[in-house]
Amino acid sequence: MEYLTALPQQGMDAWNAWLAANPQLCAWLAALGRFVLPVLALLILTGQIRSLLRVPCDPEVWACLSLPNGGTELLTHWENILGRSGSCDVALNYPVVSRQHAALIRDETGAWTVYDLGSKRGVSVNGVQVAGQAEVRFGDVLDLGGVETVLLPVPPEERRRGKRPAGVRRPASPWPGLVLLTAFQMLCALELVVAGGKDAPAAIPGAFLCLSLVMWVYVLGMRVLRRVGFEMETIAFFLSTLSLAVTASSAPAALFKQFLALLLGLGLFLVLGVFLRDLKRVRKIRWLMAAAAIGLVSLTLAMGAAPRFGAANWLRIGSLSFQPSELAKICYIFAGSATLERLFRKRNLGLFILLTGVCLGCLALMSDFGAAAIFFVTFLVIAYLRSGDFATLALICGGGVFAVLTVLSAKPYVLRRFAAWGHVWENASAGGYQQTRAMSAAASGGLVGVGAGRGWLHRVGAADTDLVFGMLCEEWGLLVAVLAVLCICTLAVFAVRACRAGRSSFYTIAACAATSMMVFQTCLNVFGSVDILPLTGVTFPFVSNGGSAMLASWGLLAFLKATDTRPNASFAIPLPARRDERTGASLAPEAAPRREEKP
Amino acid sequence: MKKIERRALLCLLLPLALLAGLLLFCVRWALYGGRWASFAANRHLYNAQGALRVGRVLDRDGDVLCWVDEDGGREYYPNAAVRRATLHAVGDPGGNIGTGALVAFAGRLSGYNLLTGAYPVLGQGRDLYLTLDARYNYIAYEALNGRKGAVGVYNYKTGEILCMVSAPSFDPLSPPEDIEENPQYEGVYLNRFLSGVFVPGSVYKTVTLAAAIERIPGLLERKWTCTGSTQVGDGAVTCPRAHGEQDVGAALANSCNGVFALLAAELGEETMAEYTRKAGLTESYTVSGLNTAAGRFELAGLSERQLGWAGVGQHSDMVNPCALMVYMGALANGGTAAVPELILKAENALGFAGAVSRPRQTARLAEPATAELLADMMAENVASAYGAERFPNMDLCAKSGTAEVGGGKSPHAWFAGFLRGEDTPYAFVALVENGGSGADAAGDAAAQVLNAIVNGYS
């Protein structure tokens, strides 16, 4: 092992010595990097962001219903509600049909099931009254309180429409972004080495080279598997690059650990994405995930972790330390999201509220109020998406305010953090110490930054985690920092837009919850570091230095990947089997793979 | 699903909030970035001692007053007296003097800009030329001779401040150990000229007189007899001696409290407040970005006798020396004057200076005819009371003040005025705290500086 690191370090020392002998070159490289890197970042991200925001989110057609009046209604989701109300997926404007009459739900094998949603006049399939639920095959007559409809496969003209090679439907080609990102990573490593001077460790170019390699292997591997959408991953890889740069600048020794976390995160992303393909599997494991969420947040409490930075949310095993509450976020969203079928079978939020209560209680006990706030906001998002019930949520919010007041009276030191809020410059050496330095450093960077590895903010405590936005502004400039925040916003907008083509409410709710979590976390991190909100000690998704946070960010991205229903875009959605195409039992997007195979 | 799709729209509120907050931050960043960067803990611009480690401060002739050595430490002008005389303009290494260039103009010194932040492409640090002449500062500081006070001279046409001294001062290279407890250094970090307010005494009579000229018909024909004590309202206003019979011009030359107290009482509190405000004495000027202290004149609800005392610059009147100097400039310049400036130019490494700002004008501080009449009377003052021979080659108009401060202390000595003439557009103010007679103590300091400016120095 020693030999393994010694050799690169020797080469590195020789390289450093050569650089030291050419100070003029170093100065030129530094000046060049300051201006080229933000431009590269701009090019990389505008491409990806534009592609993500332009996704038309065309609904996929899974089957259709012929109506008594001769018309047909397309079923564009796996989970459809049939009823008289305008908010139903298939609106049947007949007085005999209840407002929400029935749900027609498809599983991943293509089998359809109808659920009676407590309608007045009942549901029958082929004349047989349905008690609760019943399978529906193509050609079956589905009777909703006397209105007869027939479930039919996707009509040929619809399938052709799906085949139509509309350019906009295809995700942007990943190659330009990938090449630019690789150039960005290489230049970034060079900048960091130049800035590091004689002591620059070989780990810096090593980590960046490995990252590029992993990135290419991932994309090429996915291409072999016939997947074409890579915008989210490119954005995540870009933010992870920034994370490595921040780590290299503030704690070079932790670079290897951070890269490892990235690798693990990518692994989690893949595993979770593949797992999410199968909705049946997902349904089965939700209980396990709820238990895991509680287990993870209570683990730290049980192990009696030592407080660090005021919050006792760290778990130490040997030399490794990690935050179980970060991983609990994934489990929590997994457990909280629900399929439509479940939403109708179990209308109240009781168990979910219980889960949330336990999680928040544990987090409050370890004084991790930032994480508690994130869980609470995610809870609100999930609860609203599931129930749409403002009254209950208002009640819960009231309870939340009460809980906050209780906490503040029990733990007055929390209030002290708030005391400096809005007055950090008057308390620059006490409560506003970190924020004033973050803002001063952020201003010093200007638009283009002082250069990677040339800042001083990293000497301030928690600079590479809680104040990472300040570090980005300082070393990378306002431009890159703003772009990083815009990336997170883009993911959120994509998640909301993808609802239109959402197959199951599980995916939709999970994606919205995951991005809301990321966005709220970004809000707390960015605004906390620049005194728009009190400093809460929350990480910036993907960017902050920290293994657990990196792992969690990639995990959350998997939920988003599972909603990307563009043909063949996402590995988290199974490719349509070819035999389906032949039998015609399925569906519009199948046409795409054949198109892909063309040179 | 359609329902959930609609509900999901509400999730857009969070990214919207994030964008709004980001926008707020960007606006603040653009507006206050310079201030944030000029923070003593910012290691890009400040050394470990908290002193600015980039940029040079020079006076108008190019004498380097303060620069950075190779180790990033601050160096100052070789002569200790010059260092003391320019301390409040240049600033101390600790950054305690808010009006010092090292603090107040840190952004200009570093070349900070929004595009490249603390590291401009052409290198850090600029040459900041002040409008001051170190020599005049030195002469003024020596003339104060260890007493507390302030001296300011400026060009009322261009706004350039040629001399700005505040005492007490100290040597920035060896700050005294006992600076906090020694009464000799009381208020040493305060730039008395820009940030201090003091009892004006008789120099305020120029304001009372301006009001009387415009509001009291037949003022110039009136005669008063001063017995040393004049009944104003329910009480007496006293003069140091009996001035006998006098017209208003003679009353100004004698600085007769009785006559001006009667005039103030006759004008009434509203008119007095109006003219004080008009003269700019209650205003805060922005001198190259530095806000001067605003004077305070509490004239409402006073008895006639109190208003009389207020009319001769006593009672609770407080004036800022810089604002008084600007008023003098306006009297010289037909009613308005240039707003004072401290920065001549800031050059980057290539010797390229940024855009030069045109002099800003004050509002109308006095009517032109009134200003001319006042100027004539003040010129007469110099001839009859102060001695024109003390001010060679100068068309000097001035008013002295001896402001009682109570507490058994000597009065503050004031001397304020201006030079007429195309080649000598200078207004000035000199204040010696507890200096005794205004014309003597403060007049001497003013005379020495003006002499150097007008007649040169060897």
Side-chain angles (χ1 to χ4, degrees):
Chain A
M1 185 69 195
E2 222 164 75
Y3 179 75
L4 214 64
T5 54
L7 199 65
Q9 192 56 48
Q10 271 176 14
M12 193 67 199
D13 289 341
W15 166 252
N16 286 342
W18 181 76
L19 274 182
N22 295 286
Q24 197 67 36
L25 180 74
C26 289
W28 275 106
L29 278 176
L32 185 79
R34 283 182 79 190
F35 293 94
V36 172
L37 282 171
V39 172
L40 275 178
L42 204 64
L43 288 176
I44 296 167
L45 293 178
T46 43
Q48 309 303 324
I49 289 176
R50 243 181 40 194
S51 176
L52 266 192
L53 292 182
R54 277 191 178 176
V55 172
C57 295
D58 281 342
E60 302 161 288
V61 181
W62 300 101
C64 61
L65 274 182
S66 77
L67 303 182
N69 63 7
T72 49
E73 276 281 352
L74 300 176
L75 298 179
T76 55
H77 304 284
W78 283 12
E79 296 165 352
N80 306 277
I81 295 177
L82 284 55
R84 186 159 43 87
S85 157
S87 64
C88 290
D89 298 299
V90 178
L92 300 164
N93 199 9
Y94 301 92
V96 288
V97 177
S98 299
R99 294 179 59 78
Q100 286 194 23
H101 199 107
L104 195 54
I105 293 177
R106 176 196 191 273
D107 69 9
E108 39 289 314
T109 61
W112 289 87
T113 311
V114 66
Y115 293 83
D116 188 344
L117 300 178
S119 63
K120 227 181 219 170
R121 290 164 181 260
V123 179
S124 66
V125 177
N126 292 336
V128 182
Q129 191 72 25
V130 172
Q133 64 184 71
E135 196 181 340
V136 189
R137 292 166 198 279
F138 289 124
D140 285 356
V141 176
L142 184 62
D143 183 299
L144 303 166
V147 176
E148 289 194 347
T149 63
V150 182
L151 182 68
L152 295 170
V154 184
E157 68 269 18
E158 265 308 316
R159 243 187 295 164
R160 262 202 304 283
R161 200 174 70 86
K163 260 179 210 167
R164 196 180 54 207
V168 280
R169 284 182 63 117
R170 291 198 57 183
S173 160
W175 309 122
L178 218 53
V179 169
L180 285 174
L181 186 51
T182 310
F184 183 85
Q185 285 160 347
M186 294 303 110
L187 192 55
C188 173
L190 186 63
E191 289 293 308
L192 282 164
V193 167
V194 170
K198 279 204 292 288
D199 308 321
I204 294 177
F208 283 91
L209 273 174
C210 289
L211 176 60
S212 293
L213 200 68
V214 165
M215 201 171 76
W216 280 95
V217 166
Y218 172 81
V219 174
L220 289 174
M222 284 295 157
R223 285 300 293 222
V224 168
L225 296 172
R226 298 191 291 149
R227 313 292 164 153
V228 293
F230 295 100
E231 294 95 338
M232 286 178 226
E233 290 92 326
T234 311
I235 284 177
F237 277 121
F238 173 79
L239 294 177
S240 302
T241 308
L242 290 184
S243 174
L244 285 190
V246 163
T247 309
S249 169
S250 64
L255 205 50
F256 180 66
K257 184 215 73 186
Q258 186 68 2
F259 176 71
L260 212 62
L262 199 161
L263 219 54
L264 281 175
L266 188 62
L268 178 65
F269 172 67
L270 287 170
V271 169
L272 199 55
V274 170
F275 191 86
L276 284 172
R277 285 180 183 182
D278 187 343
L279 212 49
K280 208 183 281 170
R281 211 159 44 188
V282 167
R283 272 202 296 269
K284 270 187 210 145
I285 210 168
R286 278 185 62 232
W287 292 102
L288 206 61
M289 283 295 175
I294 294 177
L296 282 169
V297 285
S298 56
L299 191 62
T300 350
L301 274 185
M303 306 273 284
R308 189 168 155 186
F309 304 132
N313 52 2
W314 290 83
L315 198 63
R316 284 177 177 281
I317 301 170
S319 63
L320 280 175
S321 62
F322 76 97
Q323 276 179 296
S325 60
E326 291 285 346
L327 287 181
K329 289 175 184 169
I330 300 172
C331 301
Y332 177 76
I333 289 182
F334 207 116
S337 310
T339 53
L340 202 60
E341 174 204 345
R342 181 175 169 73
L343 288 186
F344 282 106
R345 209 180 303 156
K346 206 162 163 43
R347 280 164 178 265
N348 65 48
L349 292 164
L351 285 173
F352 181 50
I353 292 177
L354 190 69
L355 169 66
T356 312
V358 173
C359 287
L360 288 184
C362 288
L363 289 170
L365 277 178
M366 36 178 147
S367 301
D368 193 352
F369 298 107
I374 292 170
F375 270 81
F376 187 67
V377 166
T378 313
F379 163 74
L380 288 182
V381 169
I382 294 180
Y384 176 69
L385 286 176
R386 279 176 61 164
S387 71
D389 183 357
F390 272 116
T392 314
L393 292 186
L395 207 65
I396 290 169
C397 281
V401 170
F402 179 73
V404 167
L405 290 178
T406 316
V407 164
L408 288 183
S409 61
K411 303 198 172 186
Y413 80 87
V414 179
L415 206 60
R416 244 177 289 145
R417 281 194 157 188
F418 283 63
W421 175 38
H423 312 277
V424 291
W425 292 102
E426 290 90 336
N427 302 291
S429 51
Y433 185 90
Q434 290 170 300
Q435 296 95 316
T436 46
R437 272 129 191 102
M439 285 153 88
S440 185
S444 302
L447 272 181
V448 296
V450 300
R454 294 174 190 275
W456 58 265
L457 186 64
H458 62 78
R459 292 179 223 154
V460 176
D464 55 0
T465 54
D466 305 350
L467 306 180
V468 77
F469 183 71
M471 256 188 100
L472 282 185
C473 285
E474 183 192 28
E475 300 197 357
W476 293 88
L478 187 74
L479 212 58
V480 171
V482 166
L483 278 174
V485 176
L486 287 184
C487 284
I488 303 288
C489 284
T490 309
L491 294 182
V493 173
F494 174 81
V496 171
R497 292 193 60 220
C499 292
R500 279 187 62 207
R503 293 184 176 181
S504 162
S505 65
F506 179 87
Y507 298 130
T508 304
I509 294 176
C512 286
T515 52
S516 296
M517 190 179 251
M518 282 198 219
V519 168
F520 187 64
Q521 218 173 312
T522 313
C523 282
L524 287 185
N525 177 282
V526 171
F527 301 161
S529 63
V530 297
D531 197 33
I532 293 176
L533 286 178
L535 188 63
T536 34
V538 163
T539 54
F540 194 125
F542 295 105
V543 181
S544 283
N545 175 18
S548 338
M550 178 64 97
L551 207 60
S553 305
W554 278 96
L556 290 178
L557 195 68
F559 289 117
L560 208 58
K561 201 67 190 163
T563 61
D564 188 359
T565 53
R566 289 173 296 173
N568 289 24
S570 163
F571 72 91
I573 290 176
L575 282 180
R578 292 192 188 182
R579 84 184 138 71
D580 288 348
E581 245 169 280
R582 279 196 300 275
T583 57
S586 189
L587 323 163
E590 256 81 327
R594 204 175 291 149
R595 205 168 70 234
E596 279 307 311
E597 281 155 19
K598 280 180 194 163
Chain B
M1 286 302 292
K2 214 176 195 176
K3 267 189 184 166
I4 292 182
E5 194 184 314
R6 285 187 194 168
R7 288 176 196 157
L9 284 178
L10 215 64
C11 291
L12 287 177
L13 284 181
L14 271 173
L16 269 180
L18 180 55
L19 285 180
L22 188 67
L23 193 69
L24 174 68
F25 168 71
C26 289
V27 169
R28 283 191 187 171
W29 178 89
L31 289 179
Y32 310 129
R35 215 183 301 163
W36 294 351
S38 309
F39 176 48
N42 186 357
R43 290 284 169 274
H44 292 302
L45 298 178
Y46 294 83
N47 61 23
Q49 286 76 46
L52 196 67
R53 59 176 190 80
V54 289
R56 302 196 299 170
V57 183
L58 302 90
D59 82 346
R60 61 184 298 116
D61 313 325
D63 291 332
V64 187
L65 300 177
C66 185
W67 64 97
V68 184
D69 65 15
E70 280 157 7
D71 307 325
R74 276 274 149 203
E75 291 290 339
Y76 289 82
Y77 196 80
N79 182 309
V82 172
R83 289 199 293 267
R84 289 195 185 95
T86 55
L87 175 74
H88 290 88
V90 173
D92 62 322
N96 295 305
I97 295 171
T99 59
L102 294 181
V103 172
F105 309 135
R108 304 286 291 271
L109 274 166
S110 63
Y112 173 84
N113 64 80
L114 290 181
L115 176 64
T116 52
Y119 294 92
V121 183
L122 290 170
Q124 276 188 302
R126 296 209 223 160
D127 284 349
L128 184 79
Y129 288 81
L130 298 179
T131 57
L132 303 175
D133 188 324
R135 183 72 182 216
Y136 304 150
N137 265 31
Y138 168 78
I139 292 169
Y141 184 74
E142 293 290 291
L144 285 175
N145 197 19
R147 295 168 294 182
K148 292 177 182 169
V151 179
V153 182
Y154 99 120
N155 181 321
Y156 52 74
K157 291 201 186 295
T158 64
E160 291 167 10
I161 298 180
L162 300 175
C163 170
M164 177 178 77
V165 166
S166 174
S169 183
F170 63 88
D171 184 351
L173 283 185
S174 52
E177 302 272 322
D178 56 350
I179 198 159
E180 299 293 342
E181 51 269 17
N182 191 338
Q184 187 193 334
Y185 293 115
E186 191 194 338
V188 70
Y189 296 136
L190 182 81
N191 183 336
R192 283 165 158 70
F193 175 73
L194 291 176
S195 316
V197 286
F198 304 90
V199 183
S202 300
V203 286
Y204 180 66
K205 284 171 184 162
T206 50
V207 178
T208 309
L209 184 53
I213 288 170
E214 290 175 17
R215 293 296 175 88
I216 299 180
L219 176 77
L220 300 180
E221 287 77 47
R222 282 204 200 176
K223 292 280 192 290
W224 293 269
T225 306
C226 170
T227 59
S229 174
T230 310
Q231 191 70 21
V232 181
D234 59 348
V237 170
T238 52
C239 292
R241 60 185 176 85
H243 296 121
E245 193 185 69
Q246 52 193 347
D247 64 2
V248 74
L252 184 69
N254 293 330
S255 199
C256 179
N257 288 344
V259 170
F260 281 90
L262 284 170
L263 288 176
E266 187 178 341
L267 288 162
E269 60 181 49
E270 276 172 25
T271 310
M272 287 303 294
E274 180 193 332
Y275 275 83
T276 310
R277 201 168 44 242
K278 185 176 180 183
L281 298 188
T282 56
E283 194 183 333
S284 169
Y285 289 103
T286 305
V287 178
S288 292
L290 293 169
N291 291 327
T292 64
R296 291 192 301 274
F297 292 83
E298 286 144 17
L299 300 171
L302 299 186
S303 72
E304 266 191 52
R305 185 181 68 88
Q306 286 169 323
L307 187 60
W309 276 116
V312 299
Q314 295 291 155
H315 195 64
S316 61
D317 297 358
M318 296 296 245
V319 73
N320 168 254
C322 180
L324 183 62
M325 180 183 81
V326 175
Y327 178 55
M328 290 299 150
L331 291 182
N333 199 37
T336 69
V339 176
E341 294 286 340
L342 269 171
I343 297 177
L344 197 63
K345 59 185 173 180
E347 284 185 354
N348 65 17
L350 296 182
F352 183 75
V356 182
S357 59
R358 280 158 48 86
R360 292 173 297 145
Q361 291 291 315
T362 64
R364 182 158 291 284
L365 306 183
E367 294 308 314
T370 313
E372 202 179 329
L373 188 56
L374 256 171
D376 288 340
M377 287 186 187
M378 288 165 76
E380 181 59 27
N381 263 356
V382 176
S384 64
Y386 311 139
E389 68 285 352
R390 289 165 69 195
F391 307 96
N393 304 325
M394 294 177 226
D395 183 3
L396 181 72
C397 309
K399 180 74 193 87
S400 66
T402 306
E404 297 295 341
V405 290
K409 292 183 180 164
S410 294
H412 287 346
W414 283 94
F415 201 68
F418 51 88
L419 303 186
R420 290 189 286 197
E422 279 300 305
D423 302 334
T424 54
Y426 305 122
F428 63 89
V429 64
L431 161 71
V432 183
E433 285 178 48
N434 313 117
S437 159
D440 295 340
D444 275 347
Q448 290 185 41
V449 179
L450 291 174
N451 192 23
I453 294 175
V454 174
N455 300 317
Y457 49 81
S458 50

